[in-house]
Amino acid sequence: MKLAVRTTTETDLPRLLELLDQIDDSMYPQRDDAGQASRLSVFRRIAADSNQHLLVAEADGRIVGTVHLIVVPHFSRTCKPSGLLESMVVDEAYRRKGVGAALLREVQRLALAAGCYKLALSSNLARRGAHRFYSRLGWKRTHYGFSLEPPIAR
Ligand SMILES: CC(C)(COP(=O)(O)OP(=O)(O)OC[C@H]1O[C@@H](n2cnc3c(N)ncnc32)[C@H](O)[C@@H]1OP(=O)(O)O)[C@@H](O)C(=O)NCCC(=O)NCCS
């Protein structure tokens, strides 16, 4: 399998959305679905932001995985940014073939190039396979994650 990781382009959007639909969100029944127009607008905002890297992995010319790196500027440490990961998914038919690991290698390279002092992500407690995946690649469970689900205002 010939594997390549690159930045997502607007023409990739339909396939990207198919992939993102493979993330099981059934643990969040209260979340609404967005329309295609909003998704295109979100894509354009991400693509225009030099602190965001929306990546896709291609295997034999087909997009089979994605991850989104957000470089967050802040004041802690020596004012170095941190890197936040979102929306990591690999096509069901291509899992356990090294695609996820290749995406994370590129994330780590980009985060280093951006001067990040750490990378972080949160993963729902139910995603046990994903937890094994991150642990296997050297990621440590160092924090508790907290979230406020809709309605956020109480
Ligand atoms: C988690 C995910 C991105 C991993 O991608 P992948 O391409 O399958 O991962 P890799 O092939 O690079 O796996 C590397 C190693 O991680 C571990 N691993 C990956 N998926 C695993 C799983 N479901 N169960 C147990 N270990 C797993 C294995 O040790 C694997 O090496 P091995 O296959 O030689 O044993 C993919 O399973 C996925 O898309 N899951 C659904 C969406 C999701 O949960 N995303 C994460 C949100 S936080």
Side-chain angles (χ1 to χ4, degrees):
M1 183 174 77
K2 191 168 172 294
L3 195 58
V5 176
R6 61 167 174 82
T7 301
T8 312
T9 65
E10 197 166 307
T11 51
D12 299 326
L13 192 55
R15 175 63 185 147
L16 180 78
L17 296 178
E18 270 177 25
L19 268 180
L20 292 175
D21 282 344
Q22 288 190 28
I23 300 180
D24 176 13
D25 273 344
S26 55
M27 64 285 268
Y28 306 114
Q30 67 276 51
R31 285 190 184 170
D32 294 331
D33 205 3
Q36 291 297 105
S38 336
R39 288 170 146 189
L40 178 59
S41 148
V42 169
F43 174 83
R44 287 180 174 159
R45 278 167 57 195
I46 293 171
D49 183 347
S50 61
N51 278 326
Q52 299 199 47
H53 303 273
L54 186 56
L55 303 178
V56 284
E58 268 183 332
D60 303 323
R62 178 169 169 75
I63 291 175
V64 295
T66 183
V67 68
H68 182 186
L69 166 67
I70 301 124
V71 175
V72 184
H74 53 78
F75 296 109
S76 65
R77 310 279 163 134
T78 50
C79 281
K80 289 185 171 176
S82 65
L84 181 67
L85 265 68
E86 290 283 349
S87 308
M88 168 107 212
V89 62
V90 170
D91 188 305
E92 279 164 10
Y94 285 82
R95 289 184 191 162
R96 306 297 288 263
K97 296 175 190 293
V99 176
L103 282 163
L104 286 191
R105 275 197 299 278
E106 181 60 3
V107 159
Q108 287 168 242
R109 191 189 70 75
L110 288 164
L112 272 177
C116 293
Y117 79 95
K118 73 166 184 182
L119 276 168
L121 60 87
S122 68
S123 179
N124 189 282
L125 293 175
R127 301 193 202 283
R128 292 168 188 245
H131 304 161
R132 283 195 289 275
F133 163 72
Y134 295 121
S135 299
R136 163 87 191 271
L137 293 172
W139 290 63
K140 308 278 184 234
R141 293 187 196 210
T142 53
H143 293 66
Y144 288 111
F146 293 85
S147 59
L148 262 185
E149 289 295 317
I152 289 175
R154 279 153 218 265

